């Protein structure tokens, strides 16, 4: 057995291999790019070495650099995982020349099956059923002639590579003409091989593959089939075993064909023989051989109770058990879903950024490379995790998978989690009516709001905010005007604590991707919904596709609030969903909204009856406010003169433009101060040794008074002449009335 193995890969497969090596007592060496310096596999391995810049061509595809690291760390073998160098015959040969074991097939086997057209030749020689197809095509004219002989529709294929790259369905000469050079370019760019050929395109097809394993001594076994028909743009999304609606006779035919193909080249290690299954004709045809571990290998392991990575390591080291003695006895039904960093509501646009919440259930297998705090970069494949379940039967497995996805959470960037949940809810999937075109007719209904324009300092908040952490310096955050915030939630039927949006001075532009109900409260902004004026302090129905535009505030106040029925789907952080921007946590990605952000909703909603708040309960926002305060603790003659205090209480202060949720700066006259400096605390007379602050404290930061806000500090070194009362006296100059306003302190700012 090896003592040390290098993993020439990244992400979840690198983490997966390291776990097996740890269990076998084998030391692991991780290689990583500069972009992956803080990735999970780097810290999980026994050793880790940086091999280059973020681009794969400068790191994970640099096999000269990988071999150099293997020599330096005295690794005896290299496991390539999948992707990158996993099917590169030159890399396998270079490993052999360094006397380092390549954990996979031989270079000859990689070459035999590495090009699809040569693989077809081997399949034909071993009587494996083939779809009608062509040889390699030299020109578009040759391709059109071959297509005429085969009969449209046809599939134009790159002979090299895999993963759905370089495949294009063509339904006529025009399609073929448009696709020919494009597929050649893709193939040359991705696989350094521009050869293309044609195959008959089966329109109602299933993608079924057989897992094989060989010992390189003439023994090759089949470990069952996997159905990988649920695909998007030829990329697999869901895989399962056994394949539904396939007879035992057909299964055995698939196994026999796959084993014949493996034995034809004396195959060693793990491999997958892929077939297309004609649903109408009930006939399968050979597609290609993947000479590596597959992404979906976990479902095969689940029903067979084996570890294919362990088998690969033992085979490469010469320690594999006698393969001819193995008996294939699968148990149960296993399904895997792939979780990608992509936005299914925006044509599967890749997403990147910081993950501020990652949670998966502990009772199912999850192969993942992410955790809370992981930075997802744009440099690599967007696969984040694979959730794998195994039940006694398919119905039970689907139920387990639904529960597992419901318990999974990834926040901070867009993923396809909701997309996967909706696929599992589709009755066609439950019935096993699968084909490679299944997702073409699947209608995804995103429960989201797209941020087209973020506005000014727009953020997710909840009430009462982050309570209980003030003594350790974590402010509560929450809405500045919680009366308006709570009213917005009540109007749409939410608990008053439900997460909503706070806008400052100017609002955002939002596109709703689902039906819902909203309410706008607080300071009145000029706003339209689909071009029509939108009312405030009223529950308003919103249809999917609607656009809400909010501009500047008209009148007094600076804070406006939007609540949606059932609220926003954001994770709790320290017991609250409120955004603390300075701390970079809470809310949506720990920051204010930006164009391109996607806000998740908990569910769709419709309006049963329009509700408006009675006029007498709607506060009036003026530009002039008189606020009740509690005097002290530092309004004493030790700090301020009597004239300073008289000036402070009699002055009509103005709000400074640099005010924030941290503190509201006030413009007015300067105090004369009762002392020359702060003594041991500092040079300015406002300086004191640390003093505890409360929300609503007015401190003098130098000569400027600052009202400490909901994101402000809990401790500081400045004098505080007074605090705002919990019950403030509000003078409403618009109506010339006075009254108790017990719910908000900061409407005026």
């Amino acid at each position: 057995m090896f003592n040390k193995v290098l993993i020439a890969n990244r992400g979840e497969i690198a983490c997966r291999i390291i776990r097996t090596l740890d269990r076998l007592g084998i030391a692991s060496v991780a290689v990583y790019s500069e972009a992956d310096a803080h990735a999970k596999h780097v810290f999980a391995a026994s050793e880790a070495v940086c091999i280059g810049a973020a681009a794969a061509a400068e790191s994970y595809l640099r096999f000269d650099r990988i071999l150099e690291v293997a020599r330096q760390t005295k690794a005896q073998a290299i496991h390539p995982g999948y992707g990158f160098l996993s099917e590169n015959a030159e890399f396998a040969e270079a490993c052999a020349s360094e006397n380092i074991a390549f954990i996979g097939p031989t270079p000859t086997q990689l070459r035999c099956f590495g090009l699809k057209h040569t693989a077809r030749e081997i399949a034909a020689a071993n009587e494996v059923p083939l779809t009608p197809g062509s040889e390699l095509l030299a020109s578009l004219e040759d391709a059109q002639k071959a297509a005429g002989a085969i009969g449209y529709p046809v599939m134009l294929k790159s002979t090299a590579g895999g993963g759905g790259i370089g495949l294009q369905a063509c339904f006529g000469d025009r399609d073929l003409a448009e696709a020919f050079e494009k597929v050649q370019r893709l193939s040359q760019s991705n696989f350094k091989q521009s050869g293309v050929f044609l195959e008959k395109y089966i329109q109602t097809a299933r993608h079924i593959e057989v897992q094989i394993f060989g010992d390189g001594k003439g023994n090759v076994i089949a470990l069952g089939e996997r159905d990988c028909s649920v695909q998007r743009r030829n990329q697999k999304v869901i895989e399962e075993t056994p394949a539904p609606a396939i007879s035992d006779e057909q299964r055995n035919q698939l196994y026999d064909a796959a084993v014949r193909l493996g034995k034809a080249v004396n195959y060693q290690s793990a491999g997958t023989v892929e077939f297309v299954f004609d649903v109408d004709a009930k006939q399968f045809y050979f597609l290609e051989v993947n000479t590596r571990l597959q992404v979906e290998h976990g479902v095969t392991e689940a029903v067979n109770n084996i570890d294919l990575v362990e088998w690969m390591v033992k085979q490469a080291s010469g320690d594999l058990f006698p393969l001819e003695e193995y008996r294939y006895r699968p148990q149960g039904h296993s399904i895997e879903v792939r979780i990608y960093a992509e936005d299914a509501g925006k044509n599967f646009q890749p997403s990147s950024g910081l993950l501020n919440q990652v949670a998966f259930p502990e009772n199912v297998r999850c192969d993942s490379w992410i955790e809370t705090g992981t930075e997802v970069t744009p440099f690599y494949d967007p696969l984040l995790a694979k959730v794998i379940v195994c039940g006694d039967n398919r119905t039970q497995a689907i139920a387990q998978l639904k529960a597992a996805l419901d318990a999974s959470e990834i926040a901070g960037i867009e993923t396809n989690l909701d997309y996967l949940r909706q696929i599992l809810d589709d009755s066609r999937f439950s019935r096993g009516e699968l084909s490679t075109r299944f997702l073409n007719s699947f209608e995804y209904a995103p429960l989201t709001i797209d941020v087209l324009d973020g506005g000014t300092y727009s953020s997710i908040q909840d009430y009462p905010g982050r309570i209980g952490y003030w003594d350790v310096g974590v402010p509560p955050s929450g809405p500045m005007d919680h009366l308006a915030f709570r009213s917005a939630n009540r109007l749409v039927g939410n608990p008053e604590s439900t997460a909503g949006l706070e806008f400052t001075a100017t609002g955002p532009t939002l596109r709703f991707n689902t039906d819902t109900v909203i309410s706008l409260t607080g300071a009145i902004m000029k706003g339209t919904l689909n071009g029509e004026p939108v009312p405030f302090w009223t529950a308003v129905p919103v249809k999917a596709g609607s656009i809400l535009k909010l501009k500047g505030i008209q009148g007094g106040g600076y804070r406006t609030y939007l609540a949606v029925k059932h609220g926003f789907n954001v994770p709790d952080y320290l017991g609250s969903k409120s955004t603390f921007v300075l701390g970079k946590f809470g809310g949506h990605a720990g920051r204010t909204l930006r164009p391109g952000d996607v806000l998740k909703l908990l569910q769709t909603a419709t309006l049963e009856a329009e509700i408006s708040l009675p006029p007498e309960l709607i506060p009036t926002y003026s530009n002039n406010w008189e606020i009740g305060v509690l005097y002290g603790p530092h309004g004493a003659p030790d700090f301020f003169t009597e004239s300073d205090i008289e000036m402070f209480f009699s002055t009509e202060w103005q709000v400074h433009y640099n005010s924030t949720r941290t503190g509201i700066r006030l413009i007015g006259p300067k105090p004369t101060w009762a002392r020359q400096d702060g003594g041991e605390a500092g040079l300015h007379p406002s300086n004191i040794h640390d003093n505890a602050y409360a929300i609503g404290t007015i401190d003098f930061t130098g000569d400027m008074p600052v009202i400490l806000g909901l994101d402000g500090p809990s401790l500081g070194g400045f004098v505080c002449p007074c605090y705002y009362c919990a019950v403030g006296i509000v003078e409403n100059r618009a109506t010339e009335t006075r009254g108790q306003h017990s719910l908000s302190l900061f409407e005026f700012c």
Side-chain angles (χ1 to χ4, degrees):
M1 185 71 77
F2 303 122
N3 294 320
K4 185 181 290 187
V5 172
L6 183 148
I7 300 97
N9 217 297
R10 64 173 303 279
E12 58 86 19
I13 185 57
C15 295
R16 159 79 177 90
I17 295 168
I18 290 169
R19 287 197 303 272
T20 293
L21 294 176
D22 285 347
R23 183 171 54 79
L24 295 174
I26 299 173
S28 55
V29 179
V31 294
Y32 63 93
S33 70
E34 293 172 359
D36 277 340
H38 302 290
K40 192 174 181 179
H41 76 282
V42 174
F43 297 96
S46 308
E47 301 175 58
V49 180
C50 182
I51 54 172
E58 299 177 41
S59 52
Y60 295 108
L61 294 175
R62 284 277 309 275
F63 67 72
D64 58 332
R65 180 74 179 107
I66 292 170
L67 286 170
E68 180 184 342
V69 172
R71 290 192 298 270
Q72 291 172 351
T73 59
K74 295 180 170 55
Q76 298 160 292
I78 294 177
H79 198 306
Y82 45 70
F84 294 134
L85 297 170
S86 61
E87 296 178 283
N88 189 304
E90 292 180 7
F91 179 51
E93 287 175 335
C95 289
S97 68
E98 296 283 349
N99 199 29
I100 297 171
F102 177 83
I103 301 178
T106 67
T108 299
Q109 292 161 359
L110 291 170
R111 286 197 171 93
C112 284
F113 292 131
L115 298 177
K116 297 182 182 72
H117 75 283
T118 58
R120 281 176 60 90
E121 292 172 359
I122 298 171
N126 288 274
E127 299 181 345
V128 177
L130 292 169
T131 54
S134 74
E135 303 294 330
L136 286 183
L137 302 164
S139 66
L140 173 61
E141 291 73 21
D142 289 344
Q144 289 174 333
K145 183 177 179 180
I150 296 168
Y152 284 106
V154 294
M155 182 69 81
L156 180 63
K157 288 188 170 187
S158 160
T159 187
I165 299 173
L167 300 180
Q168 185 71 51
C170 303
F171 293 85
D173 281 350
R174 182 175 178 180
D175 291 344
L176 188 55
E178 292 175 352
F180 191 79
E181 289 187 6
K182 174 185 174 183
V183 172
Q184 282 186 320
R185 285 196 307 273
L186 273 173
S187 181
Q188 183 63 42
S189 173
N190 286 279
F191 313 118
K192 311 303 181 188
Q193 167 63 255
S194 62
V196 295
F197 67 101
L198 292 176
E199 280 184 350
K200 178 68 178 176
Y201 177 44
I202 299 172
Q203 297 191 64
T204 307
R206 291 170 63 183
H207 185 126
I208 299 176
E209 59 190 29
V210 177
Q211 176 71 59
I212 62 171
F213 200 94
D215 60 9
K217 302 174 184 177
N219 297 302
V220 178
I221 61 172
L223 291 166
E225 85 286 358
R226 299 183 288 252
D227 191 306
C228 308
S229 301
V230 182
Q231 302 179 3
R232 180 189 60 76
R233 299 174 186 162
N234 300 312
Q235 290 277 7
K236 300 166 187 175
V237 176
I238 300 178
E239 301 100 351
E240 60 183 298
T241 186
I246 298 291
S247 69
D248 288 342
E249 180 182 1
Q250 289 168 329
R251 268 184 243 280
N252 290 328
Q253 290 173 352
L254 286 165
Y255 301 164
D256 290 344
V259 169
R260 284 201 307 274
L261 209 52
K263 287 186 174 181
V265 297
N266 196 25
Y267 194 80
Q268 72 175 35
S269 199
T272 300
V273 184
E274 303 198 357
F275 298 90
V276 60
F277 184 81
D278 189 326
V279 173
D280 297 324
K282 304 295 182 186
Q283 176 63 48
F284 64 87
Y285 303 99
F286 171 76
L287 272 179
E288 61 181 325
V289 177
N290 284 313
T291 50
R292 55 173 167 80
L293 196 66
Q294 290 278 86
V295 178
E296 58 273 18
H297 71 275
V299 294
T300 296
E301 292 180 326
V303 297
N304 289 290
N305 194 29
I306 60 173
D307 184 334
L308 284 170
V309 172
E310 177 182 344
W311 283 26
M312 293 177 74
V313 172
K314 288 183 174 180
Q315 188 278 324
S317 66
D319 292 328
L320 185 67
F321 61 88
L323 199 60
E324 64 273 17
E325 296 179 6
Y326 181 79
R327 297 295 176 263
Y328 169 60
R329 296 188 180 94
Q331 297 291 323
H333 194 103
S334 182
I335 310 178
E336 169 188 292
V337 294
R338 302 188 187 189
I339 301 176
Y340 289 107
E342 60 187 16
D343 187 351
K346 294 180 181 175
N347 199 28
F348 300 94
Q349 171 183 294
S351 58
S352 59
L354 184 69
L355 302 180
N356 54 18
Q357 178 75 4
V358 176
F360 295 109
E362 295 182 357
N363 61 337
V364 299
R365 174 175 168 179
C366 179
D367 289 357
S368 166
W369 65 277
I370 58 171
E371 56 193 351
T372 300
T374 295
E375 180 81 21
V376 178
T377 70
F379 300 109
Y380 310 112
D381 185 275
L383 180 64
L384 300 178
K386 304 176 304 186
V387 176
I388 305 163
V389 299
C390 189
D392 292 337
N393 51 55
R394 189 171 189 268
T395 300
Q396 187 183 92
I398 292 174
Q400 288 181 4
L401 188 53
K402 286 182 178 182
L405 293 186
D406 287 343
S408 299
E409 184 176 22
I410 302 174
I413 65 173
E414 272 304 284
T415 72
N416 67 335
L417 256 175
D418 281 337
Y419 182 71
L420 294 169
R421 292 172 182 135
Q422 292 184 31
I423 292 173
L424 296 181
D425 286 335
D426 192 297
S427 60
R428 296 173 300 161
F429 182 84
S430 298
R431 294 193 299 267
E433 297 173 2
L434 309 178
S435 78
T436 54
R437 302 178 67 187
F438 173 85
L439 293 181
N440 293 357
S441 58
F442 174 74
E443 294 186 8
Y444 172 57
L447 295 171
T448 59
I449 298 174
D450 291 332
V451 179
L452 306 182
D453 186 321
T456 302
Y457 216 88
S458 303
S459 63
I460 295 276
Q461 300 294 337
D462 68 355
Y463 175 80
R466 197 163 281 107
I467 303 302
Y469 299 94
W470 195 243
D471 55 342
V472 292
V474 179
S477 300
M480 294 283 279
D481 176 0
H482 60 76
L483 171 65
F485 181 88
R486 294 157 72 191
S487 297
N489 270 323
R490 288 173 176 174
L491 280 165
V492 296
N494 292 342
E496 62 183 16
S497 60
T498 305
L501 284 169
E502 178 181 88
F503 312 134
T504 307
T506 58
T509 299
L510 307 174
R511 179 174 58 224
F512 293 80
N513 298 318
T514 186
D515 293 351
T516 191
V517 182
I518 68 168
S519 63
L520 290 161
T521 61
I524 305 298
M525 286 182 171
K526 183 178 181 181
T528 60
L529 181 64
N530 297 327
E532 298 296 324
V534 59
F536 274 59
W537 303 95
T538 301
V540 179
V542 176
K543 290 291 186 182
S546 296
I547 294 180
L548 175 69
K549 292 184 179 181
L550 296 172
K551 297 185 178 179
I553 285 174
Q554 300 175 306
Y558 273 92
R559 307 284 172 174
T560 301
Y561 297 90
L562 182 145
V564 296
K565 181 70 175 177
H566 306 300
F568 291 94
N569 185 7
V570 294
D572 285 349
Y573 192 97
L574 295 177
S576 171
K577 301 181 188 302
S578 287
T579 308
F580 177 37
V581 175
L582 288 177
K584 298 181 180 180
F585 58 72
H588 176 77
R591 56 171 171 75
T592 57
L593 302 188
R594 301 173 184 168
D597 282 347
V598 179
L599 304 177
K600 298 182 179 68
L601 305 183
L602 286 168
Q603 63 185 80
T604 188
T606 56
L607 184 62
E608 296 177 0
E610 187 171 300
I611 302 171
S612 296
L613 203 65
E616 62 270 21
L617 297 181
I618 299 175
T620 301
Y621 296 91
S622 170
N623 287 321
N624 298 295
W625 300 76
E626 184 177 309
I627 306 296
V629 298
L630 292 174
Y631 184 50
H634 303 131
D638 289 348
F639 305 102
F640 294 95
T641 65
E642 288 187 11
S643 61
D644 287 340
I645 297 302
E646 183 180 351
M647 173 274 293
F648 179 71
F649 285 116
S650 63
T651 296
E652 185 171 297
W653 299 90
Q654 292 184 340
V655 175
H656 192 275
Y657 65 87
N658 272 342
S659 298
T660 66
R661 285 176 54 90
T662 303
I664 309 302
R665 295 169 173 264
L666 302 179
I667 303 173
K670 297 180 181 180
T672 58
W673 298 102
R675 57 183 188 165
Q676 295 300 310
D677 56 46
E680 293 181 354
L683 295 177
H684 195 275
S686 65
N687 297 144
I688 59 174
H689 285 300
D690 283 349
N691 170 57
Y693 295 146
I695 297 170
T697 298
I698 301 177
D699 80 8
F700 266 82
T701 304
D703 294 323
M704 176 177 280
V706 180
I707 309 167
L708 299 180
L710 292 162
D711 287 356
S714 62
L715 194 70
F718 296 105
V719 295
C720 305
C722 64
Y723 294 80
Y724 279 123
C725 295
V727 178
I729 305 299
V730 177
E731 181 177 10
N732 187 328
R733 299 187 185 278
T735 60
E736 297 301 325
T737 61
R738 293 172 64 86
Q740 295 280 318
H741 189 331
S742 63
L743 294 174
S744 295
L745 299 177
F746 297 111
E747 297 94 333
F748 71 97
C749 56

